[in-house]
Amino acid sequence: MKKEKVQERIIRVASDLFYRQGFNSTGINQIIAEADIAIGSLYNHFTSKNDLLQAYLIKEELEWFKGFEDHSAQISEPKQKILSLVDYRKKLQKSSKFAGCHFIKIIAELGDSSPVVSDFAKKHKGRQKEMIRTLVSEYAENKKNLNTDLITESIFLLIEGAVVTSTIDKNTNSFNAVQKMIEAQLP
Amino acid sequence: MKKEKVQERIIRVASDLFYRQGFNSTGINQIIAEADIAIGSLYNHFTSKNDLLQAYLIKEELEWFKGFEDHSAQISEPKQKILSLVDYRKKLQKSSKFAGCHFIKIIAELGDSSPVVSDFAKKHKGRQKEMIRTLVSEYAENKKNLNTDLITESIFLLIEGAVVTSTIDKNTNSFNAVQKMIEAQLP
DNA sequence: GTCTATAGACGGATAGAC
DNA sequence: GTCTATCCGTCTATAGAC
C-alpha cells in the first residue's frame, strides 16, 4: 500500500468534513487538526478554502463514476445495469448514514453564489443522465415503441427523488419504489 | 392593508435571506439591517437565531399548503389536481429563480445537527405525500387494478426529483417529464 | 515541511442609556 | 421600541522563526 501523501490526506479529510458538516460549517482549523498538519502546510498545497472545495468536487466526481463501475462490473445486461445503479445509490446512502448527494448538498448550501460550483454540479448530473440514456437506448434497441427520452428522464428523476427522500427519511424505502417503476417501464 | 408588525417583518426578511443565501451564510447584522430594526428589537422578539429558524420553517410550511390551496382552488377532479400540484411546484421554482425546496435546502445545510429541524422537514414531506395519496386514492376509486401505493410513491419521488433537478439546471424541463409520467400512470 | 503569533473581519449575543 | 458600545469567540489568511 502506497503511503498517502500530505495533499491527498488534506483532500480526504476536508472532503469528509465538507460532506458531513457542510462547507460553511467546516473551518480551516478543524481541517488541519484532523489531518494533523500545520496551517502553513495547507496553504502551501491550496491557495484558499475555495481551492479545497474544487478539489473536493473533482474527487467526488471521479469516485462516483469509479464506484459505480466497480459496483456493476459483473453486469452487462442494460436493464440489470440500471437496476444496479439504483442499488449503488442505495448503498452510498446507507454507507454515508443518509448524508445525501454531494452535489445536491453543495448547491443547496451555496446557491448561485459560486458559478464554478453550480456549473460543476450541473455537468455532473448531466453525465449521470447521459449514462442512463445510453443504458436505456441499449435496452430499447431490440424492443419497439419505447420512448427512450421519457424513460431516461423519469428514471433519472425517480433516482434523484429517492436520494433526497432517503436523506430526509433516513431509510431506503424510496429506492424500492424506483426499482418497481423501472421494472414496469422496461418490460 | 394591515400594517406589518415588527415581528412579521423580521420573519419575512430573515426567511428571504435564509432561503436565498442559506442559514449559515446569513448573519444577524444583515437581518437587522435589511429589516431596518435595532438588534435589541430582534432579541426582544426572538431568543436566538435558532428561534428565528423555527419561525422560518413554520412560516414556509403554512405558506406551502396555503399556496397550493389557492393555486388549485378551481380544480376538483383528482387527476387534474395532481397535475396542478406539479404546476404549483414549477411556479414556485420560477418565482424563486430556481432556489429549490426550503426543506431540502435546510436539511442539506444542517444535516443531522438539529433533530428539531430534521424532524420538521420529515413531517412536512410526509404531509405532502399523504396529500398525493389522498388524491390518488380518490382517482382510483372507480378504476380497477391500480396500485395506489406505488403510484403515490412514484409521483412523489418524480416531483421531488424534478424540483432538485430544476434547481441545478435552472429550467423547468424536468416538470414536463413528470406530467407525462402522471398521464401515463393515471389513465 | 514544522511551529506560534496575529492580523482583520465578522459571528451571535448582552448591557445600558434614551 | 431606539441607539451605541462591547464581550468573546471564530473565521480565513498571512508572516516569521525554526
Side-chain angles (χ1 to χ4, degrees), chain A residues 2 11 16 39 42 52 76 81 95 101 104-105 112 114-115 117 134-135 141 153-154 160-161 163-164 166 180 182 185:
Chain A
K2 234 171 77 181
I11 294 180
D16 185 54
I39 187 169
L42 190 154
L52 250 177
S76 58
K81 206 141 187 165
S95 64
C101 165
I104 292 174
K105 270 195 77 133
D112 298 337
S114 169
V117 172
T134 302
L135 291 171
E141 241 169 31
E153 187 75 18
S154 80
E160 294 296 300
V163 170
V164 295
S166 94
K180 282 181 193 158
I182 291 173
Q185 284 185 82

Side-chain angles (χ1 to χ4, degrees), chain B residues 71-84:
Chain B
H71 187 79
S72 67
Q74 318 290 355
I75 302 160
S76 58
E77 199 276 315
K79 179 176 167 181
Q80 291 307 314
K81 206 141 188 166
I82 293 172
L83 289 171
S84 164

Side-chain angles (χ1 to χ4, degrees), chain B residues 38-39 41 44-45:
Chain B
I39 188 167
S41 204
N44 188 24
H45 288 290

Side-chain angles (χ1 to χ4, degrees), chain B residues 121-160:
Chain B
K122 186 172 176 175
K123 280 177 180 159
H124 173 75
K125 289 300 177 188
R127 279 187 281 267
Q128 287 190 9
K129 194 191 286 185
E130 285 318 302
M131 204 182 73
I132 295 173
R133 189 184 313 280
T134 303
L135 292 171
V136 171
S137 297
E138 278 177 44
Y139 177 86
E141 240 170 31
N142 47 355
K143 307 280 191 297
K144 43 185 167 182
N145 290 334
L146 283 185
N147 186 338
T148 56
D149 277 348
L150 181 58
I151 293 173
T152 297
E153 187 75 18
S154 81
I155 290 177
F156 176 78
L157 295 181
L158 283 166
I159 293 176
E160 294 297 299

